[in-house]
Amino acid sequence: MSETEARIPADFWFDPLCPWAWMTSRWMLEVEKVRPVDVRWHVMSLAVLNEDRLDELPDEYREAMKNAWGPVRVVTAARVKHGEEVVGRLYTELGTRIHNEGRGATPEVTLEALAAVGLPAELAEYAESDAYDIELRASHEEGISKVGQEVGTPVIAVPGDDGEQIAFFGPVVTPAPRGEEAAKLWDGTLMVASIPGFYEIKRTRTVGPSFE
């Protein structure tokens, strides 16, 4: 990868609770190592996405939505108060504890993640506050408006051939590809984004997310 290559921006929307978004986000960090890509991190919210259709959800998923507001609210508050540059780092600290360590989105996890990024513990209080829900919803809407209401997280937006962003739900992949595999998946993502009218490739998942 030449240092003179033009950097390619990739926008990534995530909910900290989503294990599949976590898988894809780790792939994007690997892509930054092997391609001239800069990831810009944004929140979207499964709680917002599902708030008008809770009655349609399975009981287990509906219960999970009750706890889905906290992490994304904390990340949003951190972004508003401390800038865009903390979003990706805070997501990594939260996701490592929630997913890799299997500890879930507990108050202790939130406090540890904030401390690891050097952010004040007071931000954890926003898990129970709607103070920045306007900003949270705006970020969510920016991402979901690019792909439609029938999908979830993650959402990735990359430059198309004409310079306009093309956004997709996914890619959904496990475990997160490394090295040349990460590069090939990225190259393929750009390739399909360059095809006018391309919308979807999908198959049924047969395994769960692997956090190796």
Side-chain angles (χ1 to χ4, degrees), residues 12-14 18 20-21 24-25 44 152-156 168-172:
F12 190 98
W13 282 265
F14 66 91
C18 179
W20 293 106
T24 309
S25 72
M44 63 181 295
T153 176
V155 168
I156 183 174
F168 301 107
F169 163 67
V172 176

Side-chain angles (χ1 to χ4, degrees), residues 89-107:
R89 292 190 291 124
L90 181 55
Y91 179 33
T92 288
E93 296 298 338
L94 284 168
T96 298
R97 291 165 175 79
I98 292 171
H99 302 296
N100 291 59
E101 297 176 8
R103 296 168 60 192
T106 66

Side-chain angles (χ1 to χ4, degrees), residues 1-210:
M1 183 174 63
S2 169
E3 293 182 1
T4 62
E5 288 183 86
R7 308 294 295 179
I8 299 172
D11 289 283
F12 190 98
W13 282 265
F14 66 91
D15 185 308
L17 288 188
C18 179
W20 293 106
W22 178 245
M23 290 284 91
T24 309
S25 72
R26 299 310 92 182
W27 162 65
M28 284 305 306
L29 289 182
E30 192 74 8
V31 170
E32 284 189 315
K33 301 176 184 177
V34 294
R35 290 291 186 268
V37 174
D38 292 320
V39 182
R40 302 183 295 205
W41 303 97
H42 314 274
V43 295
M44 63 181 295
S45 171
L46 292 173
V48 172
L49 184 68
N50 291 295
E51 63 183 345
D52 294 327
R53 52 189 182 196
L54 288 176
D55 291 343
E56 305 169 13
L57 301 177
D59 291 343
E60 181 179 352
Y61 198 80
R62 188 185 307 121
E63 189 65 26
M65 288 304 96
K66 294 179 182 178
N67 300 317
W69 287 99
V72 76
R73 279 173 164 169
V74 172
V75 176
T76 300
R79 177 184 64 81
V80 172
K81 288 179 168 290
H82 298 276
E84 300 283 350
E85 65 275 7
V86 305
V87 175
R89 292 190 291 124
L90 181 55
Y91 179 33
T92 288
E93 296 298 338
L94 284 168
T96 298
R97 291 165 175 79
I98 292 171
H99 302 296
N100 291 59
E101 297 176 8
R103 296 168 60 192
T106 66
E108 292 76 17
V109 158
T110 299
L111 287 170
E112 288 179 19
L114 289 168
V117 181
L119 291 171
E122 289 77 11
L123 286 171
E125 298 173 5
Y126 287 96
E128 303 296 330
S129 169
D130 63 1
Y132 294 114
D133 278 9
I134 291 176
E135 290 82 358
L136 188 163
R137 290 176 181 276
S139 181
H140 173 89
E141 181 59 28
E142 181 185 11
I144 205 70
S145 67
K146 295 177 182 293
V147 289
Q149 295 291 332
E150 70 273 14
V151 303
T153 176
V155 168
I156 183 174
V158 301
D161 272 0
D162 59 1
E164 293 292 322
Q165 276 196 328
I166 304 296
F168 301 107
F169 163 67
V172 176
V173 59
T174 187
R178 307 290 183 184
E180 185 56 29
E181 283 195 346
K184 287 194 294 185
L185 181 55
W186 171 254
D187 295 343
T189 301
L190 292 185
M191 183 184 69
V192 297
S194 73
I195 306 300
F198 174 83
Y199 290 100
E200 184 176 4
I201 293 176
K202 189 172 183 178
R203 62 175 176 163
T204 299
R205 295 192 300 266
T206 58
V207 297
S210 171

